[in-house]
Amino acid sequence: MGRPQMSGEDNLLRLVEAEDGDENNYHLQDQVGFILRKAHQRHVSIFASHIGDLTPPQFAALAKLYDIGETSQNQLGTLIAMDAATVKGVIDRLKARGLVEVSKHEVDKRRLLVNLTPEGRQAIERLIPLARAITEETLAPLTAKEAATFLRLLAKLA
Amino acid sequence: MGRPQMSGEDNLLRLVEAEDGDENNYHLQDQVGFILRKAHQRHVSIFASHIGDLTPPQFAALAKLYDIGETSQNQLGTLIAMDAATVKGVIDRLKARGLVEVSKHEVDKRRLLVNLTPEGRQAIERLIPLARAITEETLAPLTAKEAATFLRLLAKLA
DNA sequence: CTGATATCATTTGCATACGAATGAATTTGA
DNA sequence: TCAAATTCATTCGTATGCAAATGATATCAG
């Protein structure tokens, strides 16, 4: 139904398409954006099957805090690629669960410092091995060599 | 701050890591899920800069309807990788803007048929060339050969 | 020193995204 | 045939994700 009311011009166009590889047809399922969205969905689903009580963004926040230690909410957002509004929600939920704690910056009163609680540290240490398994399962359709190539190219796009 | 209170054991661990490629350290920024999320974010941002009045999921719905013609809401969701709850919201918004129209299936009364309106058809025909530009810009960091490889591997993951 | 700018955090509004529950309609299978 | 299972759509609750507006604080420039 992409082109109703076929005309002589359309028939000519068809011949051209047959010769040049169908360039005038738009296939959603071949577009990088659409496939990217599906691949991301699949990863999130794999993540959820291994770690049911935490989302990927929440995990990212804990992992980054574990990596770098206390930092401001804004800086954390930059490091895990979340805008200010999003990171606030993520931190609020982690705070409500006792995995992070916040405090005011002594010098710069605009800043809200965020850090892991002992419970948060214990949680992330427990989860990191699972995260490795998640990465493995996500990349499972590729050979090791393909996975390395894919990660290299994906990083160039991100 | 991943490991506070360095001990002799930690120093030993460091030596091991230096030998085996740091396998015991977890780097969020190297995980496929995290990079996938960022790449997806970048694409959505590029999409928005070209097509401001429609989201990628809304565009996907229109493009698929243009491709296959009238279909049920559920079937459309399957084709564009959206669950029933999500596709309902997308269709509701497209309907409110007059780009699609819905009707009841004559035989199977459970089904809700969705189709483009003339305005919706005109819109998608206008947008498809922009979508090609969006794909191009998204893949711009890669060479043509890299882009082909990337798309092939991404499709295996999705 | 002070007015203009910039930064940090919050809030609101809108749009995916998904699990779970529900109800209506259809299909299946014993 | 008819009860059980399945399918389709809707609704609710929760969680990103982003734009825009706002208020508080800090920094900069003249």
Side-chain angles (χ1 to χ4, degrees):
Chain A
M1 290 279 287
R3 285 194 207 88
Q5 303 129 13
M6 290 292 280
S7 68
E9 282 168 322
D10 284 322
N11 285 324
L12 182 58
L13 187 55
R14 279 195 150 182
L15 286 176
V16 173
E17 287 174 357
E19 284 168 2
D20 70 6
D22 215 7
E23 286 180 10
N24 289 293
N25 236 325
Y26 183 82
H27 300 298
L28 181 69
Q29 64 272 24
D30 297 334
Q31 305 304 305
V32 63
F34 183 71
I35 317 178
L36 214 41
R37 175 169 150 272
K38 287 212 298 176
H40 182 247
Q41 281 177 1
R42 173 171 168 272
H43 167 74
V44 171
S45 167
I46 290 171
F47 187 100
S49 74
H50 287 256
I51 300 179
D53 61 343
L54 221 56
T55 65
Q58 289 167 4
F59 175 86
L62 295 184
K64 186 51 78 175
L65 287 174
Y66 184 64
D67 189 18
I68 66 167
E70 184 174 67
T71 187
S72 75
Q73 190 172 278
N74 215 45
Q75 173 66 7
L76 180 61
T78 299
L79 294 170
I80 59 181
M82 282 178 217
D83 75 2
T86 301
V87 78
K88 183 186 189 308
V90 172
I91 293 303
D92 278 353
R93 284 179 284 277
L94 292 174
K95 191 173 51 182
R97 292 177 52 178
L99 299 177
V100 304
E101 55 193 358
V102 303
S103 55
K104 288 180 192 163
H105 192 288
E106 286 301 320
V107 178
D108 187 340
K109 294 179 182 172
R110 296 169 304 178
R111 297 191 200 173
L112 190 66
L113 295 174
V114 187
N115 204 356
L116 292 177
T117 60
E119 293 75 22
R121 177 174 297 275
Q122 189 182 352
I124 190 62
E125 286 175 348
R126 177 177 63 83
L127 293 175
I128 281 177
L130 302 185
R132 294 188 200 280
I134 290 167
T135 291
E136 221 175 282
E137 186 172 338
T138 297
L139 292 173
L142 306 181
T143 67
K145 193 171 183 177
E146 284 176 333
T149 301
F150 177 74
L151 282 175
R152 182 174 60 82
L153 299 179
L154 182 63
K156 287 178 84 169
L157 280 198
Chain B
M1 289 280 287
R3 287 193 207 87
Q5 303 130 8
M6 290 292 280
S7 67
E9 281 167 325
D10 284 322
N11 286 322
L12 182 58
L13 186 56
R14 278 194 151 182
L15 286 176
V16 174
E17 287 172 358
E19 284 168 4
D20 69 8
D22 216 7
E23 285 177 10
N24 289 294
N25 238 324
Y26 183 82
H27 300 298
L28 182 69
Q29 65 272 20
D30 297 334
Q31 305 304 305
V32 63
F34 183 71
I35 317 177
L36 213 42
R37 174 169 151 271
K38 287 213 297 177
H40 181 246
Q41 281 177 1
R42 173 170 168 271
H43 167 75
V44 171
S45 168
I46 291 171
F47 188 101
S49 73
H50 288 256
I51 300 178
D53 63 343
L54 220 56
T55 64
Q58 290 169 4
F59 174 86
L62 294 183
K64 186 51 75 176
L65 286 174
Y66 184 65
D67 189 19
I68 65 166
E70 183 174 68
T71 189
S72 74
Q73 189 172 279
N74 215 47
Q75 173 66 9
L76 180 62
T78 299
L79 293 170
I80 60 181
M82 281 178 219
D83 75 1
T86 301
V87 77
K88 182 185 190 308
V90 172
I91 293 304
D92 278 352
R93 284 180 284 276
L94 292 174
K95 191 173 52 180
R97 293 176 53 177
L99 299 178
V100 304
E101 56 193 358
V102 302
S103 56
K104 288 180 192 164
H105 192 289
E106 286 301 320
V107 177
D108 188 340
K109 294 178 183 172
R110 293 170 306 178
R111 296 190 201 174
L112 190 66
L113 294 174
V114 187
N115 204 357
L116 291 177
T117 60
E119 294 76 21
R121 178 174 297 276
Q122 189 183 352
I124 191 62
E125 287 175 346
R126 176 177 65 80
L127 293 175
I128 282 177
L130 302 185
R132 295 188 199 279
I134 290 167
T135 290
E136 221 175 284
E137 186 173 337
T138 298
L139 293 173
L142 307 181
T143 67
K145 192 171 183 176
E146 285 176 333
T149 300
F150 177 72
L151 283 175
R152 180 174 62 81
L153 299 179
L154 182 62
K156 288 179 82 169
L157 280 198

